[in-house]
Amino acid sequence: MSDQRGACAMLGAVETRSVSPVFVGRAGELTALTEALSRATAGEPQALLVAGEAGVGKTRLVEEFRDAACAAGAVVALGGCVELGADGLPFAPFSTALRTLRRHLPEELSAAADGHEGELARLLPELGDPGGADSGDEDATARLFELTVRLLERLAADRTLVLVLEDLHWADTSTRHLLTYLLRTLRRGRIVVVATYRADDIHRRHPLRPLLAELDRMRTIRRIELSRFTRTEVHRQLTGILAAEPAPGLVDEIFDRSDGNAFFVEELIASQTCGEGIAPLSDSLRDLLLVRVEALPEDAQRVARIIAEGGSTVEHGLLAAVSRLAEDDLIAALRAAVGANLLLAVPDGDGYRFRHSLVREAVSDDLLPGERSRLNRRYAEALEADPGLVRPDERATRLATYWYHAHDPAKALPAVLDASVATRKRHAYAEQLRLLERAMELWDEAPAEVRAGLRPMDYAESYPPCGCDPETTPLRHLDLLAEAAVAARLCGERERALKIGKTALRLLDGDEDHDPLRAAWFWAEKARLQSNLGRGDGWAEISRAQELVKGLPPSAVHATVLAGAAGWGMLRNPGPDSLAAAERAVEYARLVKAEATELNARLTLGTIMVAAGEREAGLAEMHAVRERTTALGQFHEAARAHINLVSALESLGRSAEAVALSDAGLELTRARGLVESCSWIRGNRAESLFSLGRWDEARAEAERLLSSATSTKPRGSAHLRLAQIAVARGETATAARHLDEARAVYGTRDPIPQYTLPLAGIDLAAAAAEGRLADVRARLAAAAESGFPPGTHRYGWPLVLAAVTAEADSRGLPAAEEGRAEALAAVRRCVRALAAPAPVWAAHAAQVSEELARAEGRETAARWTETVEAWTPLDQPYPLARARHRLADALLTEGGRREEATALLRQAHATAIALGARPLREDVELLAARARIPLTADPAAAAPEPEPHADAFGLTPREQDVLRLVAAGRTNRQIAEELFISPKTASVHVSNILAKLGVSGRGEAAAMAHRLHLLDTPR
């Protein structure tokens, strides 16, 4: 290989004739790139997209920027997307760029990858063996992406990095997803990301188009559009190429024919120097591009055709094997092609590529069908004879592609299956799916003896290995469908996964050999997909799977089906049936030694036990799973244990413990790149922070979650938390917006109580804050009708408390009387249905009970004292402040304990200010104003105790009489008749009352009068 590299280096020095040594135009574009480099050097990551038609000069611009960046001390890593038939090599540009970084920064890259070499080896195989870190969970790809971003950030902490990804129009799906993740999450480091693509290739259905639309929405990404050259710029380009002043007629002719495309200018002037004259550019573009190829010696033309069909880059050894030329003849042919500026020796490598892809495409298109098949066969045979001719991470995919395009199904099918396993091990699930679909296409074309010789190489999760010995039992078409269904789900193509699963179930229905295990597996997979796609709750599919495995010997599929049923019940109906299903799943998993399934089922079991009231035993089981999964390196399940434990602790009112455990969970998920799990933990953490009164932290956590979550449910959780904070702070418009977003996220086809109940509760609280009592009652009635499954008391008590508080605040309002009895009856039904298994829920129950008494006019200070005492030790400042406010109100109404009421109001006021709870602060201030209580401890600010019948709002006795009648629902004419005054005078009194109370309408004035006891007879 050293001789081959020497040959490449020697060829790299050959002079070329058709490229201008002068960089023409693009001053503004180059300035934009260098300015981005300066900002990145200052610590602000930069991202730029360079777009332009083929041949317009994207690569030349990038080369000039590369030189400028290197001169400024930056480390530049280039990676190009590879066009290899219809397949892209997974992560090709990132692998190439990381390989460059490893070559320039070997020690630094090793330090940055420390502890994660196995995962990162999926992108850079030189780091080690990825097999030991294999994982098929849905977080696997996101974990790889997160670790890649962190690697780049660490490398860019002490130096400026420039990462250039060329030819995105050829990017494989995995590369596009990784680039999207990188640009969305890159927040620190001295790094510039530049990506180029052909704008003229991006048709409406091009796979890059959705990515570009998404990137356009990111304001941190700048797009640079390269236009064609002007006549002046073409003149400068020709001057540089010819090293002399071109004739004006030549400039005009070439500008007209090239239309300012820089590459076409080069080809046109080259065709003239080849003695062909200037070829036309209309429908014979390919002929123009082939002019210089056809002017080469025969061996050089042959080599060009071989390289054109081999992919974007062809290694020297592989080229030698396929061309079958003597070494000297091969070198001579390559020298001629490089000298004609058609081929380039790959920098830092041992291969060759076309200088411009347009020429490669033209040469490839000029091949005859039989010629193309023969070349692909030669490539495949050479690679089979000597696998070391290409990099190990490319070998399987390239061999599969060569055999496929050689039109040899007998060879192609096994090669494609080998490549599918290789791509799965790199978490390139989208490419795995494409390969499996290609295998299904080849299945019927391959000879029966070839299919009979295939053996299952991989199994989709718990999918049964043919129910027999995989060493002797052939691979079946159903096995391919199972692998394809899982690959489609893991790469996010759930619709495709569902379609594949339906195809498999149709085949199983028509199969004479009944195969209940396989059918059960596909039904369980369909249940998961139905739920993920919002097509239903998946219970019908789970039930069908349970029927199929009933009575069969224990198996991994059986355990998985039972675990799925238990998980379904945990979320939707965590009762005795779900508990029994979880216990059976654990038992079956142990019998078949499927420990991963067992741990999953045990975690579900522990969660259901907590919901059922077995608090400590359930928590102990969950902690045991967390410790075991961590010890085994099953970090996805360990993260799930953190998620469920944090939620369980919050359900028991142990919010401080929940936050501490969430911190540990975030550390785990960040260290392991478990992006999706990290989102769930953030959502649970924000809930506990709210309970602890750390609202600013909760809001920041929810906002981080919105910007980073990759799936819908965590985003819905973030919107709910932001809506809850907004309601408590009196920001009703903001709350309404977040509630609408949450409703859109959750949908209506699969109502899960842990989403629907808090959504209903916060929506009800928002309605109460806006005085929409009818909406409050409607939402309460709906909740009472739906009921509260075990474990949902954490959502039910706040909902009922908000509803009964709204009823208490509206007591005495005529407009609120109709329907009040039914609403209070609904409150009582909900109270009977709700458990209070922990002190925090006992405190809620006490407060609901006393608000119910207030709604019926029978509250007492003694019972409010009990409520305050229930809240005091719980480290939940907001409900404690609300209870203190109500106790102070009751004390002032009963009279005689003014100093105690003063202390309570001051405590509640301080809490409201600290939290930013404006509605609570205003209520406290209104009550203090009515009672003439100063809310500061300054003795000079102390106000005298009010005289009997005095009113802190300055209402005259007559205005108090009018307010009493307003609160009773009287019109101005009715008030005038009852008080023997004119309607005009009554109107004036009403206007004065509204102004003194600071309200905008009669209903609001009446509500305030009742809430602050302005019309009560002092005791």
Side-chain angles (χ1 to χ4, degrees), residues 71 98 117 224 261 263 269 285 295 311 326 356 458 490 514 601 604 657 661 673 681 712 775 830 839 845 900 944:
L98 289 176
E117 291 87 350
I224 297 174
N261 183 290
F263 178 66
I269 197 65
L285 172 59
H356 202 287
D458 220 7
L490 292 177
H514 185 54
T604 299
E657 289 181 60
L661 188 61
I681 293 175
T712 56
D775 290 338
C830 291
E900 186 178 347

Side-chain angles (χ1 to χ4, degrees), residues 809 813 922-923 926 930 953 963 993-994 996-1015:
D809 287 343
L813 292 179
E922 290 177 350
D923 282 348
L926 286 171
R930 168 204 164 212
F953 294 96
L963 178 57
I993 291 168
L994 298 182
K996 290 179 179 180
L997 295 182
V999 296
S1000 58
R1002 301 164 75 96
E1004 195 176 347
M1008 181 180 288
H1010 284 287
R1011 191 168 70 250
L1012 299 182
H1013 307 287
L1014 299 181
L1015 307 177

Side-chain angles (χ1 to χ4, degrees), residues 4 306 314-327 330:
Q4 295 161 6
I306 292 171
V314 176
E315 296 78 359
H316 184 89
L318 181 60
L319 177 61
V322 174
S323 68
R324 302 177 183 177
L325 290 172
E327 185 69 15
L330 177 60

Side-chain angles (χ1 to χ4, degrees), residues 742-785:
R743 272 189 285 269
V745 164
Y746 291 141
T748 58
R749 293 193 176 186
D750 183 14
I752 299 176
Q754 74 177 42
Y755 308 132
T756 58
L757 278 175
L759 177 60
I762 297 169
D763 194 19
L764 186 152
E770 295 180 336
R772 296 184 280 113
L773 190 60
D775 290 338
V776 170
R777 290 172 174 173
R779 284 156 179 72
L780 175 66
E785 179 69 23

Side-chain angles (χ1 to χ4, degrees), residues 9 29 32 113 136 139 157 469 543 550 611 645 722 772 795 889 986 993:
E29 293 86 348
D139 258 342
D469 184 5
S543 298
K550 188 179 296 182
L645 270 167
L722 292 169
R772 296 184 280 113
Y795 313 119
D889 191 5
I993 291 168

